[in-house]
Amino acid sequence: MKEVYDFLKGAGVYYLATIEDNKPKVRPFGTVDIFEDKLYIQTGKAKDVSKQLEKNPNAEICAFKDGNWVRLSGVLERDERIEAKRHMLDNYPSLKKMYDAEDDNTEVLYFKEATATFYSFTEKPRTIKF
C-alpha cells in the first residue's frame, strides 16, 4: 500500500473513475493519505463524485509518472470520523479554505478490497492487493 501511496503522491494528479447511469465518469484528483493503515482519498459530499460513489462504491484510479503507471481498483468506503478527516486536511492545508473536518461536506474514503497493478513500457505488470 505504501508503494501505491508513494506513486500517487509523486504523480501529483491521478484520475478517479466512477459510474453514473452505466457510463464511466473520470476526473482529476490529487489527495491521497494513509491513516490507520488504510489508503484514503478526499472529496466533498456535495460533488457528483460523492453521489456516484454512494450508489456504486466501486472505483478505479489511474496515475502516470516517469513512463510508469498504476491502476488501483477497489471499493471506496466512507469514514465519517473527524480524526480521519482532520488527518487528511492536516496533510493538505490548502484544502482548509474549502473544507473543515467538522463540516457536513468534507468526505474521506478509503480503499477496501484494493488491487493495484503497476505498468511500464519495458517491464511486465506487477500486482499487489491490500
Side-chain angles (χ1 to χ4, degrees), residues 1-86:
M1 178 179 54
K2 175 80 165 70
E3 185 179 3
V4 174
Y5 167 83
D6 289 341
F7 191 96
L8 295 175
K9 192 80 169 163
V13 174
Y14 59 85
Y15 296 87
L16 174 69
T18 59
I19 297 292
E20 180 178 65
D21 298 327
N22 289 325
K23 296 179 184 172
K25 302 293 180 181
V26 180
R27 80 281 292 150
F29 264 65
T31 54
V32 61
D33 193 19
I34 293 178
F35 179 69
E36 295 181 347
D37 296 322
K38 295 176 185 159
L39 187 73
Y40 280 78
I41 65 169
Q42 185 273 333
T43 192
K45 289 180 183 176
K47 294 183 177 183
D48 288 344
V49 66
S50 175
K51 295 172 181 101
Q52 292 158 4
L53 289 168
E54 187 173 348
K55 288 181 183 174
N56 183 347
N58 293 290
E60 185 165 273
I61 283 175
C62 186
F64 184 86
K65 179 181 79 156
D66 301 328
N68 299 295
W69 64 101
V70 65
R71 290 176 58 192
L72 169 63
S73 61
V75 174
L76 282 169
E77 181 82 21
R78 286 178 172 75
D79 188 337
E80 296 291 344
R81 295 177 300 153
I82 291 172
E83 299 83 6
K85 296 176 187 181
R86 188 171 291 131

